[in-house]
Amino acid sequence: MSETIESIKCLIIGSGPAGYTAGIYASRANMFPVLYQGTQPGGQLTTTNEVENFPGYPEGVTGPEMMLELQAQAKRFGTDVRDGWITKVDFSGPIHKVWVNETKEIHCETIIISTGASAKYLGLESEQKYLKLGGGVSACAVCDGFFYRNQEVVIVGAGDSACEEAHYLSKLCSKVTMLVRRDVFRASKIMANRVINTDNIEILFNTETEEVLGDGQLVTAVKVKNNKTNVVHDIAATGFFVAIGHKPNTDIFKDFLEMDETGYIINRPGSSKTNVEGVFVSGDAADHVYRQAVTAAGTGCMAALDAERYLAAKAS
Ligand code: NDP
């Protein structure tokens, strides 16, 4: 059943650095933005330990702390930060419609999409089981590597992320086994060479994960198969890290917005504009290249400025 329809000037969907920065700028421009936080308030950075590369924090800051500060700054200027999940949108008319948790309908003059991206998993039942149990499956070495100090771990993936994470883990763990499904890395030469030249990283090419093994609570080993020889064997490990890329959280927009084949929203070059007037995009939902907190914040600022200019042009 639908509640009373609310009409607003500016809706921000998502609460990472892009969304909160858009909130800071939009509220200071008297757009009275409403920001829906989604299911992971604060976004991906809330699963990150230390952020050392965001300008202005010379000693570093934890991801959750930084997100709370950004949220407080957005609220200070009047951003209406709400819990809720946008489940449906309709961008077919002059007024953009969205639905919160399937029921509440909001009509928006402008929308800033900052829904970010989520880590991909293999989708194996055993992987999901130990992920949900918190028993040794992770998609973030920087967040969880600490728990596997002096232990043996397995990481799957062959891109820059996997190499970066494998190298990070090699400094904490006694051994890192890296599973590469083809006979080459996708990663850049420099990143691949870094793992190749690290003594406690063993790289298994042409190797795929069959199953994550455990005692019902914790991971104990990973069953792998060589896809050339079909030989199957177990690798003892207490941690299983997945680094096979990210998926942008853009499914609900696919009927209305131009996207690439992965689902990243295509913005007009040099701006946050999408193919729909009044709908803007910021952060990782449109960025598979940089994916940094600082670039997300920068594009959040751009989206708010673009939305403000759009409203000003409409009013004149
Ligand atoms: P990528 O899409 O580049 O790589 C994903 C990797 O995961 C590929 O090697 C792929 O294998 C592998 N993979 C995918 N699905 C499976 C599966 N089901 N089983 C096994 N392996 C699988 O993602 P990244 O997150 O690594 O990088 C994304 C972007 O971010 C890139 O542009 C990258 O350059 C950039 N980046 C840059 C960094 C830096 O420069 N410091 C750090 C991190 C990311 P296959 O190769 O066989 O397809």
Side-chain angles (χ1 to χ4, degrees):
M1 198 176 40
S2 205
E3 300 166 23
T4 320
I5 295 170
E6 184 181 8
S7 291
I8 61 173
K9 269 192 174 175
C10 177
L11 175 75
I12 300 167
I13 312 175
S15 56
Y20 288 138
T21 305
I24 294 166
Y25 276 78
S27 48
R28 286 170 62 87
N30 276 350
M31 291 160 71
F32 311 103
V34 172
L35 183 154
Y36 275 92
Q37 300 198 96
T39 48
Q40 191 183 15
Q44 287 183 85
L45 270 189
T46 52
T47 61
T48 298
N49 251 340
E50 200 67 13
V51 180
E52 295 188 319
N53 53 8
F54 198 92
Y57 293 99
E59 304 304 325
V61 61
T62 69
E65 244 179 292
M66 193 173 100
M67 287 305 107
L68 284 176
E69 292 195 356
L70 275 173
Q71 187 196 65
Q73 198 174 351
K75 281 182 169 172
R76 179 180 155 213
F77 297 110
T79 303
D80 181 352
V81 177
R82 300 180 187 173
D83 292 330
W85 184 242
I86 306 298
T87 46
K88 194 171 102 176
V89 302
D90 180 355
F91 298 162
S92 59
I95 286 290
H96 305 311
K97 301 174 182 172
V98 308
W99 284 263
V100 184
N101 301 331
E102 309 277 348
T103 50
K104 183 179 170 59
E105 184 174 343
I106 308 183
H107 290 185
C108 319
E109 289 182 59
T110 61
I111 294 184
I112 296 173
I113 296 169
S114 319
T115 46
S118 303
K120 284 191 204 162
Y121 289 90
L122 297 175
L124 297 170
E125 203 179 302
S126 53
E127 169 207 56
Q128 292 304 307
K129 173 179 156 187
Y130 287 103
L131 174 68
K132 289 196 182 96
L133 283 169
V137 172
S138 167
C140 180
V142 178
C143 322
D144 300 324
F146 186 75
F147 302 117
Y148 301 92
R149 271 170 307 162
N150 304 319
Q151 298 172 40
E152 299 192 359
V153 298
V154 168
I155 183 166
V156 55
D160 282 333
S161 297
C163 290
E164 199 169 71
E165 303 220 331
H167 191 249
Y168 178 87
L169 289 169
S170 73
K171 289 187 264 169
L172 294 168
C173 304
S174 52
K175 184 176 176 195
V176 179
T177 304
M178 194 169 183
L179 310 181
V180 176
R181 67 178 173 181
R182 293 186 292 147
D183 56 2
V184 287
F185 278 100
R186 178 178 295 272
S188 53
K189 278 270 173 312
I190 187 165
M191 300 290 277
N193 283 340
R194 195 176 291 168
V195 296
I196 290 165
N197 295 326
T198 302
D199 285 342
N200 63 340
I201 300 180
E202 183 182 6
I203 302 156
L204 302 182
F205 288 102
N206 300 118
T207 301
E208 294 178 33
T209 312
E210 290 271 288
E211 195 182 347
V212 179
L213 304 171
D215 61 9
Q217 291 298 319
L218 299 170
V219 171
T220 55
V222 181
K223 187 185 284 298
V224 301
K225 180 165 120 180
N226 183 303
N227 56 27
K228 285 268 183 310
T229 62
N230 286 332
V231 172
V232 174
H233 78 284
D234 295 349
I235 302 168
T238 50
F240 180 67
F241 287 87
V242 187
I244 60 170
H246 288 76
K247 182 184 182 313
N249 302 318
T250 56
D251 285 355
I252 54 166
F253 309 113
K254 68 177 186 307
D255 290 340
F256 303 98
L257 299 185
E258 284 172 14
M259 298 179 185
D260 70 11
E261 68 283 356
T262 315
Y264 286 98
I265 295 171
I266 296 172
N267 55 299
R268 298 282 174 264
S271 91
S272 66
K273 292 177 188 166
T274 68
N275 57 301
V276 174
E277 281 213 353
V279 178
F280 306 87
V281 65
S282 61
D284 288 9
D287 174 20
H288 66 283
V289 179
Y290 301 106
R291 300 193 298 128
Q292 299 300 302
V294 66
T295 49
T299 55
C301 159
M302 286 167 67
L305 293 177
D306 286 341
E308 182 193 356
R309 285 170 195 160
Y310 167 81
L311 286 175
K314 237 176 53 159
S316 63

